[in-house]
Amino acid sequence: TAVDGLGQTLRGQMEASSESALDSMLRKQGHWLAEARERTMTMRTQGTARGNRSVPRRLLIEFFLQANIQLRTGVTLVDAIGFGLADVTHAGFHDVQTQILDRVRAGGSFSEALAEHPKTFAPLIVSLIRAGESSGRLAETCGDIRRYYEWVDRLMSDIRQALMYPAMVLVATVIFFFLVFTFLIPRFAGVLTEIKVPLPLLT
């Protein structure tokens, strides 16, 4: 429950790490927190609210590329995250970035914000970001992660290409045996039966 600038009471739900973080988020919107009660979310609601979903790798590459460029030019982390938010067309990743931005604005670290989305950001990525924050090399770390995702993308592409030819051969072989045992061999068997040639047990 909050109060706006006109003294009107507002009621609703917001996700925050603590009551003080919630108060800070509301103040930035011009509201004052009057009362807050923690609500336990179901697993389905929690997954949706936290944007706990997988995201295409190309979007993650663009995300860390933008973060690397913005941070290297001296832009704050909040502005760096918000800069690319308007260009995101993927609804799921837009929700994820919005929640990350809100978490950082509320005083949380970048690694803590990413850790709340385990299906989007693997534990390895969160650990790298945490190390980058501790060493003061967050911009360089974002660049390293971007290059890592690009390497994984090339690797998966190479694997798909390498498997394409064996898959085509396997499909052709299956079709060949299907035609042989469905049409060819039964006709030979019929001819041999007509001329009263005994068929071997295996045949």
Side-chain angles (χ1 to χ4, degrees):
T1 306
V3 179
D4 64 10
L6 300 177
Q8 295 180 338
T9 302
L10 305 173
R11 289 183 175 84
Q13 291 182 185
M14 289 184 71
E15 183 181 2
S17 58
S18 63
E19 189 170 327
S20 59
L22 176 63
D23 183 39
S24 177
M25 293 166 62
L26 287 170
R27 284 181 182 275
K28 290 179 180 179
Q29 299 178 7
H31 307 320
W32 288 267
L33 179 64
E35 182 185 358
R37 184 171 65 247
E38 186 176 1
R39 178 180 178 185
T40 304
M41 296 184 291
T42 63
M43 290 301 293
R44 180 177 179 180
T45 305
Q46 188 174 12
T48 304
R50 291 184 175 273
N52 194 6
R53 65 196 78 189
S54 57
V55 172
R57 196 176 296 110
R58 61 177 180 82
L59 295 180
L60 297 175
I61 293 173
E62 294 174 4
F63 175 72
F64 284 105
L65 173 62
Q66 289 291 338
N68 171 246
I69 294 173
Q70 296 296 319
L71 292 174
R72 285 176 60 187
T73 57
V75 176
T76 64
L77 180 60
V78 171
D79 292 336
I81 299 172
F83 179 78
L85 189 58
D87 299 329
V88 179
T89 56
H90 189 278
F93 196 43
H94 188 277
D95 292 342
V96 169
Q97 280 193 239
T98 301
Q99 291 165 32
I100 292 172
L101 183 59
D102 292 340
R103 185 77 167 86
V104 174
R105 278 176 176 168
S109 66
F110 192 28
S111 58
E112 290 172 348
L114 298 185
E116 294 179 351
H117 306 274
K119 285 190 178 179
T120 304
F121 303 99
L124 171 63
I125 303 303
V126 176
S127 298
L128 289 173
I129 291 294
R130 186 178 295 113
E133 289 174 328
S134 301
S135 62
R137 299 183 67 256
L138 184 57
E140 292 81 355
T141 302
C142 289
D144 293 339
I145 293 173
R146 185 260 302 175
R147 286 188 288 273
Y148 164 74
Y149 276 126
E150 288 178 341
W151 172 78
V152 172
D153 206 41
R154 289 193 300 270
L155 179 63
M156 296 304 296
S157 178
D158 292 342
I159 291 175
R160 283 193 294 268
Q161 290 181 1
L163 291 177
M164 187 175 298
Y165 179 72
M168 293 174 61
V169 172
L170 179 62
V171 170
T173 303
V174 170
I175 293 175
F176 170 76
F177 277 103
F178 175 78
L179 293 175
V180 167
F181 285 102
T182 304
F183 299 103
L184 189 59
I185 288 184
R187 291 189 179 183
F188 272 112
V191 171
L192 294 176
T193 301
E194 288 179 0
I195 62 177
K196 298 181 179 180
V197 175
L199 298 177
L201 180 62
L202 181 60
T203 305

